[in-house]
Amino acid sequence: MKRNGVVLVICAPSGAGKTTLVKRLLQEFPHFGYSISCTTRPPRPGETDGVDYHFLSHEEFERRRAQGYFAEWAEVYGNFYGTPLPPTLEMLEQGKDVLFEIDVQGAAQLRLTLPAGKYVFILPPSMAVLEERLRGRGSDDEATIARRLANATQEMREAHWFDAWIVNDDLDTAYDELRATYLASTLSPCLRPLLVRGVMENRRR
Ligand code: 5GP
């Protein structure tokens, strides 16, 4: 029996390893619909418009925001980011699972629109390890690292309302936990409200 799509929301402080985990999940489950966010930040080298983000001017972002086009939006490091609502609803209705990789403030807003989603928070094993990882990337200056660490502390204070916590110490273990969380969420009765009745009436295919 066809089911509705799962909303899987993944949040993590930068440096916690979210991108690697999400990439692995999408490799194993390529059927995932991915919500492409809009942003006012300029593209980084290698990023493509319409693939990584929809890159918008401030004016265009503001116009769409005022129209209620975004399921949630947030200002992160001075740039605006928003999740378009119409394509998301369309994918869910088609039974496509949709993955969101957004910041904590955005996730809190999204939960008001999509409360049945699975909200996953990925933690680093410790602040010391997070700092090491941020330095190891070699892409941020000292001020940026300090800002990301302060932001990580803020974000972790919000971790209490999430549905699942995954500590990314060992990558394989963290991935197994993310995968299990996703698979468990596909079994939720609210995605197939007529299933049991269908079984009882021999309409289960
Ligand atoms: P970046 O500019 O490095 O791609 O992303 C910066 C931050 O913005 C990350 O924490 C990312 O999760 C967050 N972000 C990306 N897209 C969205 C979105 O649509 N909404 C919100 N609230 N945050 C987003």
Side-chain angles (χ1 to χ4, degrees):
M1 187 180 284
K2 193 173 163 296
R3 63 164 174 82
N4 293 328
V6 166
V7 169
L8 184 67
V9 183
I10 303 187
C11 288
S14 72
K18 176 178 63 173
T19 309
T20 311
L21 288 166
V22 165
K23 267 200 191 127
R24 247 166 114 161
L25 194 70
L26 292 173
Q27 256 165 24
E28 182 172 354
F29 301 101
H31 60 263
F32 253 111
Y34 187 75
S35 165
I36 301 173
S37 297
C38 297
T39 183
T40 59
R41 111 160 140 61
R44 294 189 186 124
E47 285 183 333
T48 309
D49 186 38
V51 176
D52 300 285
Y53 283 105
H54 298 290
F55 295 99
L56 304 182
S57 65
H58 273 89
E59 295 70 34
E60 180 59 18
F61 191 96
E62 178 49 30
R63 197 180 63 76
R64 295 194 191 187
R65 194 193 60 72
Q67 282 174 347
Y69 178 75
F70 296 121
E72 61 76 33
W73 64 276
E75 187 180 353
V76 186
Y77 304 130
N79 295 304
F80 290 92
Y81 295 82
T83 303
L85 184 57
T88 300
L89 294 179
E90 211 169 288
M91 285 192 276
L92 292 173
E93 273 158 28
Q94 288 166 356
K96 223 172 200 248
D97 300 334
V98 187
L99 184 70
F100 296 87
E101 212 189 320
I102 57 179
D103 82 311
V104 171
Q105 351 158 33
Q109 282 180 66
L110 195 66
R111 199 165 65 140
L112 301 175
T113 315
L114 301 170
K118 197 79 179 165
Y119 291 77
V120 180
F121 196 94
I122 296 170
L123 294 143
S126 67
M127 290 308 284
V129 171
L130 184 67
E131 186 169 350
E132 244 170 60
R133 286 183 188 166
L134 289 174
R135 282 188 202 291
R137 297 209 288 210
S139 57
D140 298 329
D141 58 24
E142 281 304 309
T144 308
I145 288 174
R147 196 175 52 173
R148 287 195 195 278
L149 286 173
N151 199 47
T153 306
Q154 278 301 109
E155 292 198 311
M156 280 191 256
R157 289 209 175 100
E158 288 295 312
H160 60 91
W161 62 259
F162 281 74
D163 302 308
W165 291 341
I166 294 175
V167 177
N168 185 12
D169 190 355
D170 173 66
L171 187 65
D172 287 337
T173 307
Y175 179 66
D176 282 347
E177 291 171 353
L178 178 61
R179 181 180 191 281
T181 304
Y182 161 59
L183 288 176
S185 71
T186 66
L187 308 178
S188 169
C190 70
L191 300 176
R192 283 182 293 188
L194 301 177
L195 176 77
V196 175
R197 191 168 165 172
V199 169
M200 291 195 295
E201 293 173 1
N202 292 316
R203 282 187 288 103
R204 169 97 170 86
R205 290 278 170 264

